[in-house]
Amino acid sequence: MNSSTPPGKSNRVGQRGASAFQRMERTHPLLMLLYLALVGVSVLFAILVAAYVQARHFHPLPDGPFPRFFALSTVLLVLSSATLRPVTRLYRKDNLRRLARSLGFTLVLGLTFVAAQLVAWRELLLSGVAPRGVATGAYIYLLSALHAVHLLAGIGFLAYFWLLTRHAAADGVRMLVFIRNPYRRLQLRMLRLYWHFMDAVWLVLFLVLLFTV
C-alpha cells in the first residue's frame, strides 16, 4: 500500500464520483431532455455559422450599412434576460404579482425583439442583400430566422406560464397550490434556462454578423 496516500482519501474520491452520478440520476427527465435539446441547437448553429463564414469568404456581400435593428433587437433581448432574472427569487418569496409582472415585461420584450428582426430584414433588402441572392445573404436570413423560430417557442411557453401565474395570483388558494407545486418550479427553471440560452446564442450570432456584414 502507498503510504503517501492519506487514509480514506480514495473513499472520499469515490463518494464524490458517486454523488455526481447520483445528481445526474436525480435530474428530472424533462430537464435532461432540455439539456440534450440545447446541445443539439448549439451544434446546429455552430455548423451554420461555420458555413456562413466560409460562404462569406468566397461570396462577399455588397457594401452597405449594418442593419441598425439588429443592434436594437440585441439590446431588447438582453433587457428581456434582465427582467427574467429575478423570477426564481420572486417565486421563492411567494410574490406572484411581481413574478407575473416580470414575466409580462419579458414577454413584451421578446415579441418586440422578433418585430425588430423583421425590420432588420427589410434593412438588408434595401441594402441589396436578398435571401435568394448571394449565398452569404441567404445564411444571414437563415441564422436570424432560425433563432427567431426557437425564441418564438420560448415566447409561447412564456405566455402560457405568465397566464398561469396571473390566474394563480388572483386567489389565495390557487396561489398556495401554485407555489407548492414542484412541477411549476421545474417549468420556471426550464423557462429561465432556455431563455438565457437563446439570448447567448443571439449575442454570438450578432457579434459574428457585426464583424462580417
Side-chain angles (χ1 to χ4, degrees), residues 123-175:
E123 288 183 299
L124 285 172
L125 287 172
L126 293 176
S127 64
V129 180
R132 294 188 179 182
V134 180
T136 307
Y139 275 116
I140 295 176
Y141 287 96
L142 177 61
L143 287 168
S144 175
L146 193 60
H147 177 269
V149 168
H150 281 84
L151 190 70
L152 282 172
I155 287 174
F157 185 73
L158 173 61
Y160 165 75
F161 200 85
W162 172 65
L163 291 173
L164 281 179
T165 306
R166 288 195 62 187
H167 180 70
D171 178 78
V173 176
R174 289 198 300 264
M175 181 185 299

Side-chain angles (χ1 to χ4, degrees), residues 110-128:
L111 291 171
T112 310
F113 167 85
V114 176
Q117 293 284 288
L118 297 176
V119 180
W121 295 349
R122 183 175 181 274
E123 288 183 299
L124 285 172
L125 287 172
L126 293 176
S127 64

Side-chain angles (χ1 to χ4, degrees), residues 2-110:
N2 189 352
S3 59
S4 62
T5 303
K9 181 177 180 181
S10 58
N11 291 336
R12 290 197 298 271
V13 172
Q15 288 172 1
R16 284 198 296 269
S19 63
F21 184 74
Q22 289 170 358
R23 284 196 298 271
M24 289 182 62
E25 286 186 323
R26 288 196 296 267
T27 301
H28 195 281
L30 289 178
L31 187 59
M32 183 62 70
L33 284 175
L34 179 60
Y35 287 141
L36 294 175
L38 296 185
V39 171
V41 171
S42 300
V43 172
L44 173 62
F45 275 103
I47 293 173
L48 290 176
V49 167
Y52 162 74
V53 172
Q54 184 179 22
R56 177 70 176 80
H57 177 73
F58 292 105
H59 305 285
L61 292 171
D63 292 334
F66 184 78
R68 292 174 299 175
F69 274 82
F70 272 158
L72 175 61
S73 63
T74 302
V75 174
L76 292 170
L77 197 57
V78 170
L79 287 175
S80 73
S81 277
T83 58
L84 191 65
R85 188 174 299 277
V87 295
T88 301
R89 175 175 53 82
L90 295 174
Y91 182 89
R92 289 172 179 169
K93 291 185 175 181
D94 301 351
N95 196 337
L96 289 194
R97 285 185 173 82
R98 287 189 60 188
L99 174 60
R101 193 178 305 124
S102 293
L103 294 173
F105 286 147
T106 307
L107 179 60
V108 171
L109 289 168

